[in-house]
Amino acid sequence: MLKRQGTVEAVAKRTKRANPPAAPEAVPKSGKAKERGGIQSLERAFAILEQIALHRDGITLVELCKRVGLHTSTAFHLVRTMVRLGYASQDARSKKYKIGGRVFSLAAGALDENEMANRVVPVLERLTARTGESSHFAVLSANDIVILARTGGSGMFQLVDRAGAVRPPNATALGKVLLSALTPAQLERYLEKREFDRFTPKTIVDREALLAELRKVRRDGIAFDDGELDAEVRCVAVPVRDFLGRVAGAIGISGPMWRLSLQSLHEKSKLVRQSATEFSAELGFRGGQEAPLP
């Protein structure tokens, strides 16, 4: 019995050496690890998209890899997927990557008047807090200069313009900015059947005088209303640009002459420009990519 038992034990040992226990099953990645992998892919994709957007003339894969710090194969697979989905495009000859039409479609869809009105209000509130004057944002809608949003100032005298109000293009700083952004053909069509009302002795009603004023606004990137709509009110406005560099609207302030002297108006115009730059950036505009002047 003892000999048999010893034999059994020896056989068991030999069997154990010949058939080692199976390795434990691989433990699947945790949910956090998977989530981190997904986040990393998104971060890389957006980094690529941002670099493509910064290079309006296109960017090669080699340069793209340098900019985002990715291996060529990783960057290639990501950007190829973006091309397939329409968020990037590749020039057949230069092989450079550019922003795809899908991005422009999404951005254009987000820039409707209601959305812009909602997003500009905080900008106007900050501008009013800095200047103490009423702030306005207007767009050219169906040939009308429409106030999309406004905030009231803290001074004793404030304009009563309401959101949705239509303002005359020839007698307001906002209107001049928006008209100055039209191409010559668009402006010609706009002016050919319009007669401009005179509100004060300073209102511009002559066609040639208005065209000269618009050329100045286009050149300087700023418009003024020195008692042209209301003899006791001054205004200043500057353009707001969208992701394509086009003028999407105009932002400005207004106040009574006794509080808003010409010197004060010019000083506060710097704050108006800052607010316009701030809102333009929110709409996707990057400095230096203005659409060509009409």
Side-chain angles (χ1 to χ4, degrees), residues 4 38 41 50 63 66 74 89 96 99 102 118-119 139 142 148 162 177 179 189-190 202 218 239 274 277 279 286 292:
R4 182 180 297 176
S41 295
E50 288 176 356
E63 183 64 21
K66 291 180 182 178
T74 302
S89 63
K96 290 183 176 181
I99 287 294
R102 189 72 182 275
N118 291 333
R119 295 174 69 174
V139 297
L148 279 193
R162 69 187 186 284
V177 167
L179 286 191
R189 289 194 297 270
Y190 186 89
K202 292 184 175 181
R218 191 180 302 121
Q274 289 176 10
T277 298
F279 191 48
R286 296 180 184 276

Side-chain angles (χ1 to χ4, degrees), residues 120-130 135 151:
V120 77
V121 168
V123 178
L124 295 181
E125 289 175 343
R126 288 190 289 272
L127 179 58
T128 289
R130 294 167 186 162
S135 299
T151 54

Side-chain angles (χ1 to χ4, degrees), residues 250-288:
I251 193 169
I253 61 170
S254 58
M257 286 190 175
W258 55 265
R259 187 172 67 232
L260 204 54
S261 66
L262 288 175
Q263 180 180 349
S264 177
L265 188 69
H266 280 276
E267 290 174 352
K268 291 183 178 182
S269 70
K270 299 174 184 177
L271 298 173
V272 178
R273 286 188 186 275
Q274 289 176 10
S275 294
T277 298
E278 178 185 345
F279 191 48
S280 295
E282 191 169 332
L283 297 183
F285 174 70
R286 296 180 184 276

Side-chain angles (χ1 to χ4, degrees), residues 101-122:
R102 189 72 182 275
V103 174
F104 294 125
S105 298
L106 289 176
L111 283 179
D112 62 31
E113 292 181 356
N114 289 332
E115 178 64 18
M116 280 200 293
N118 291 333
R119 295 174 69 174
V120 77
V121 168

Side-chain angles (χ1 to χ4, degrees), residues 151-163:
T151 54
S154 57
M156 292 176 59
F157 176 86
Q158 297 296 332
L159 296 183
V160 293
D161 258 351
R162 69 187 186 284

